[in-house]
Amino acid sequence: MTLVIGLAGTAVALTLAARRVVFLYKIAASGQPDPERVLRVRREPKADVQDQVTEVFGQRKLLKWSLAGIAHAAVMWAFFLLITVYLEAAVALLAGLDAHIPGLQTWGPIGFVQDTIALAALAGLIVFAGIRIKNSPKRIGRASRFKGSHLGGAWITLFMIFNVIWTMFFFRGAEHASGNLAYGKAAYFSYLVGQAFEGLGHDTLEALESVGLLLHIGVALVFLVFVVHSKHLHIFLAPLNVMFKRRPDGLGAAQPMMSDGEPLDFEEADPEEDVFGRGKIEDFTWKGFLDMATCTECGRCQSQCPAWNTEKPLSPKMLVLDLRDHALAKAPYFTASEEEQGKFTDEQKAAMEVDKPLVAEDGVIHPDVLWSCTNCGACVEQCPVDIEHIDHILDMRRFQVMIESSFPSEAGVMLKNLENKGNPWGMSETKRLEWIEELDFEVDVVDDKISKDTEYLFWVGCAGALEDRARKTTKAVAELLHIAGVEFAVLGPMEACTGDPARRLGMEFVYQMLAQQNVETLNEAGVKKIVATCPHCFNTLANEYPQLGGNYEVVHHTQLLAHLVETGKLTPITPIEENITYHDPCFLGRHNKVYKQPRDIMATVPGVRTQEMHRHKERGFCCGAGGARMWMEERIGKRINTERVDEALSTDPDTVSTACPFCLVMLGDAINEKKNTGDAKESLEVVDVSQLLIRSIKGTAEDKKPVTAE
């Protein structure tokens, strides 16, 4: 009877689970192809093994959240190790309660590990329950990372895992009491539970063992069916999502526009035939669908998102969940043949959300959600299962901009300026050299070919050449390179915007126009090495231009300056007696993992006292300018730059330092507002780390206290 019940239950559960898996596979298989991911896995098997070891088995990202990470690691390893207990259960079901696999089911240390990891998992469940109660959205609202998650499913999961654990000890306790548990006292907790059954008759013990066996197997089967219908599908999909993730050093380049697995050729593209971004759920790639299905709803992305933290509607988590829910609703339609689609009634189509727009005020994603993103990368950095939120947001933006012509109106001015003048402000190209006139030495301007004696092309950037505050950084870097004896040159009027604002807005056509122009200029000039002061330029030149044939050795100015200081070519001397807090630019930090060098520069300046903000390095908070938001009005919630400056002010700084012209502008504007309201001291300023270095080297470090005439 035990065998019949066990096999019948297993057959039913596996059938239900298999039907769901086939349904999910059909959804993924219907997605746009993404052949490069498969090819990369084949080319880099060693990298995949490393990722599986560190991220899946090692729980690298989750362990950044100490207590929750340890609890999750315990539960995850219980999932792996307790498979051996289910192997025991299968043997007992098929071969009899007294049957054992020699070695595996008789060696004491295995029983010890099984009991220990089960108890660790139980402790993990208690931690999870405490975290969910403490961070309940009912208690703390938006501050909860679980806001918007399917909370009922999470509690069911905790309950089911608890059932797995107690049925295991019930089954093994009865097994020990009947003499069928070969681990002896090594399986110490099973042995302890078994003491409760002492004194019962043999038939009673066998009955209890059979009941425990069926309960243990039954819980697992019910849990399996539940998992494939819930967010806990990540138990099986997370390793796959980690396997097929992009593997840059940082967040990497924005992906080129693809249609049917091939790069989109704008000269031959047909909006009716080709896929321009993501205009409907069917346009997502199979990796996009895999991302949606893998989301654990943990909310770590949400808790770090600058938009969500300033009362804006964007939650990276809820964006993925909304896409997932829509995909599941519409899947019966878009996975069906044209003939089958024609048979659906209007009521069925409405239920399947066939005509629901992807991005619209009444659509799956509200436009305010889409345009709130700063591309800061906090979501991707924090996601424990490597979901690529920015890629999906960018692809939806591309469709809105290039096909629907729907985007914030003020960004249209920026696009026109890029097309007509080659910079976002619409200034004349001749103004790109005006900063040189303020120097007391000559700067080589590339006319045709770069000189053989020139080590670096100094990519000044639009802000560095045209924005007054950023010009100070440009001049400081130029002076420092000159003092260090580094031969450099600039392009001057030949330099155009890298196209980053256009690409991050979603206007890929304008980006490619500017990028191809710059690549042609750089290649014809024979440029090999570039130093850039703007992290956005740095990221585009280093990571995205290779997509168009522009392969250069690109460094950020903080990397080069730190090297020059380390090698003794630059020596800061004059003390700067100030308390300084450093703001990590997103495109320098999270996108490219440059955290150390800017701090190294400040550490070499005598007198400087550094104080980190609460959110820094990997968890740094955005200034609000990324994702082309530098050229869009911020009308919803608190301004992101104000939130960041509030955090900076909590360190009581004399100076806020950074390493990005956009951050200089955004933080500077917020500080000026604080000065106007009396919330910041008048002497507080925002400077680039290069400005601190040049002050100390040239001996121009100044006391910021007001000087009174005697």
Side-chain angles (χ1 to χ4, degrees), residues 369-622:
V369 169
L370 198 63
W371 297 112
S372 292
C373 179
T374 66
N375 279 208
C376 73
C379 50
V380 181
E381 171 70 33
Q382 289 297 324
C383 182
V385 291
D386 290 320
I387 292 170
E388 295 161 355
H389 313 76
I390 292 179
D391 289 353
H392 305 319
I393 289 172
L394 182 56
D395 278 333
M396 287 187 283
R397 282 186 174 189
R398 285 167 167 169
F399 183 86
Q400 292 301 302
V401 173
M402 302 185 70
I403 301 300
E404 298 291 311
S405 296
S406 175
F407 52 89
S409 58
E410 59 269 21
V413 177
M414 178 267 289
L415 286 176
K416 288 180 181 178
N417 289 336
L418 287 178
E419 289 187 79
N420 298 328
K421 297 293 185 178
N423 67 79
W425 290 281
M427 295 185 185
S428 170
E429 62 184 22
T430 59
K431 289 185 174 293
R432 286 186 177 272
L433 286 177
E434 287 185 353
W435 63 275
I436 295 179
E437 299 170 5
E438 301 171 29
L439 300 175
D440 57 6
F441 58 91
E442 292 186 3
V443 174
D444 185 25
V445 180
V446 177
D447 182 26
D448 180 24
K449 292 284 186 179
I450 194 167
S451 170
K452 292 182 179 179
D453 296 328
T454 301
E455 185 175 0
Y456 286 97
L457 175 81
F458 181 10
W459 187 273
V460 179
C462 301
L466 305 172
E467 205 282 325
D468 289 340
R469 284 166 284 190
R471 274 187 179 186
K472 295 178 181 179
T473 302
T474 302
K475 290 185 289 184
V477 171
E479 284 193 81
L480 289 165
L481 295 180
H482 179 68
I483 292 169
V486 176
E487 294 291 336
F488 69 95
V490 299
L491 289 176
M494 293 169 61
E495 182 182 299
C497 177
T498 59
D500 169 82
R503 178 168 239 195
R504 297 291 165 169
L505 181 73
M507 180 53 83
E508 185 74 5
F509 176 76
V510 173
Y511 161 73
Q512 289 207 16
M513 177 187 74
L514 292 165
Q516 287 170 349
Q517 173 187 328
N518 283 326
V519 168
E520 184 177 337
T521 298
L522 292 167
N523 288 348
E524 288 183 355
V527 173
K528 301 297 182 184
K529 299 169 69 175
I530 300 173
V531 57
T533 56
C534 175
H536 297 263
C537 296
F538 167 60
N539 181 72
T540 307
L541 291 164
N543 299 325
E544 299 183 354
Y545 275 20
Q547 297 171 352
L548 299 171
N551 297 284
Y552 319 105
E553 180 185 331
V554 188
V555 296
H556 189 255
H557 73 280
T558 56
Q559 294 175 301
L560 180 55
L561 295 180
H563 173 71
L564 294 174
V565 171
E566 184 182 358
T567 54
K569 294 182 179 179
L570 291 173
T571 305
I573 299 173
T574 306
I576 299 179
E577 301 292 344
E578 295 179 7
N579 181 31
I580 299 178
T581 189
Y582 175 71
H583 164 79
D584 286 287
C586 299
F587 275 73
L588 183 63
R590 270 188 296 266
H591 280 261
N592 287 283
K593 301 300 183 186
V594 179
Y595 298 113
K596 183 176 183 292
Q597 290 88 340
R599 290 172 170 83
D600 286 347
I601 292 172
M602 291 189 294
T604 63
V605 177
V608 166
R609 302 178 301 278
T610 57
Q611 175 67 46
E612 294 283 11
M613 286 182 257
H614 173 65
R615 291 178 286 206
H616 64 280
K617 294 187 178 179
E618 290 89 349
R619 295 192 188 180
F621 199 77
C622 184

Side-chain angles (χ1 to χ4, degrees), residues 200-213:
L200 297 178
H202 179 73
D203 291 343
T204 302
L205 287 173
E206 284 207 341
L208 288 174
E209 189 177 349
S210 297
V211 169
L213 174 64

Side-chain angles (χ1 to χ4, degrees), residues 147-459:
K147 176 77 172 176
S149 298
H150 295 85
L151 302 177
W155 285 110
I156 291 173
T157 299
L158 295 183
F159 179 64
M160 292 304 297
I161 297 173
F162 172 71
N163 287 336
V164 168
I165 294 171
W166 80 257
T167 57
M168 165 189 154
F169 285 124
F170 179 85
F171 159 56
R172 284 158 65 97
E175 191 177 21
H176 169 75
S178 63
N180 290 329
L181 185 64
Y183 297 128
K185 292 183 179 180
Y188 57 94
F189 200 78
S190 298
Y191 169 81
L192 184 63
V193 173
Q195 301 307 300
F197 300 118
E198 289 293 337
L200 297 178
H202 179 73
D203 291 343
T204 302
L205 287 173
E206 284 207 341
L208 288 174
E209 189 177 349
S210 297
V211 169
L213 174 64
L214 291 176
L215 283 173
H216 193 51
I217 293 174
V219 165
L221 294 174
V222 172
F223 194 19
L224 172 64
V225 175
F226 171 75
V227 162
V228 297
H229 286 80
S230 73
K231 75 176 183 91
H232 283 82
L233 189 62
H234 77 268
I235 292 172
F236 303 112
L237 295 186
L240 286 177
N241 216 42
V242 170
M243 178 187 296
F244 291 112
K245 72 170 185 176
R246 298 202 278 128
R247 292 198 191 95
D249 183 16
L251 299 187
Q255 294 297 278
M257 288 184 69
M258 307 286 285
S259 180
D260 198 27
E262 298 291 334
L264 192 64
D265 185 343
F266 287 104
E267 294 183 0
E268 300 181 2
D270 181 357
E272 298 295 325
E273 298 291 333
D274 291 302
V275 176
F276 277 69
R278 310 288 177 248
K280 53 186 184 298
I281 197 69
E282 303 95 297
D283 292 339
F284 281 83
T285 66
W286 59 264
K287 176 57 168 63
F289 288 127
L290 184 58
D291 274 355
M292 297 172 206
T294 307
C295 180
T296 71
E297 303 184 28
C298 68
R300 287 173 174 81
C301 59
Q302 180 173 291
S303 70
Q304 300 298 301
C305 176
W308 181 260
N309 277 280
T310 52
E311 292 84 47
K312 294 170 181 62
L314 169 62
S315 158
K317 174 188 71 179
M318 286 190 269
L319 178 137
V320 171
L321 297 187
D322 288 342
L323 291 173
R324 181 188 73 189
D325 292 346
H326 178 58
L328 292 174
K330 195 176 179 182
Y333 181 82
F334 67 74
T335 59
S337 64
E338 290 187 16
E339 182 181 351
E340 292 171 332
Q341 288 176 353
K343 296 178 181 179
F344 289 120
T345 65
D346 290 342
E347 290 78 11
Q348 288 174 317
K349 289 181 180 179
M352 290 186 286
E353 303 178 356
V354 171
D355 297 320
K356 189 172 186 177
L358 188 65
V359 179
E361 291 190 4
D362 61 343
V364 179
I365 305 297
H366 193 284
D368 287 341
V369 169
L370 198 63
W371 297 112
S372 292
C373 179
T374 66
N375 279 208
C376 73
C379 50
V380 181
E381 171 70 33
Q382 289 297 324
C383 182
V385 291
D386 290 320
I387 292 170
E388 295 161 355
H389 313 76
I390 292 179
D391 289 353
H392 305 319
I393 289 172
L394 182 56
D395 278 333
M396 287 187 283
R397 282 186 174 189
R398 285 167 167 169
F399 183 86
Q400 292 301 302
V401 173
M402 302 185 70
I403 301 300
E404 298 291 311
S405 296
S406 175
F407 52 89
S409 58
E410 59 269 21
V413 177
M414 178 267 289
L415 286 176
K416 288 180 181 178
N417 289 336
L418 287 178
E419 289 187 79
N420 298 328
K421 297 293 185 178
N423 67 79
W425 290 281
M427 295 185 185
S428 170
E429 62 184 22
T430 59
K431 289 185 174 293
R432 286 186 177 272
L433 286 177
E434 287 185 353
W435 63 275
I436 295 179
E437 299 170 5
E438 301 171 29
L439 300 175
D440 57 6
F441 58 91
E442 292 186 3
V443 174
D444 185 25
V445 180
V446 177
D447 182 26
D448 180 24
K449 292 284 186 179
I450 194 167
S451 170
K452 292 182 179 179
D453 296 328
T454 301
E455 185 175 0
Y456 286 97
L457 175 81
F458 181 10
W459 187 273

Side-chain angles (χ1 to χ4, degrees), residues 633-648:
E633 291 297 325
E634 196 169 346
R635 299 185 176 91
I636 304 173
K638 183 179 181 181
R639 293 181 66 86
I640 293 174
N641 59 340
T642 302
E643 172 74 10
R644 186 54 164 167
V645 163
D646 283 341
E647 188 169 359

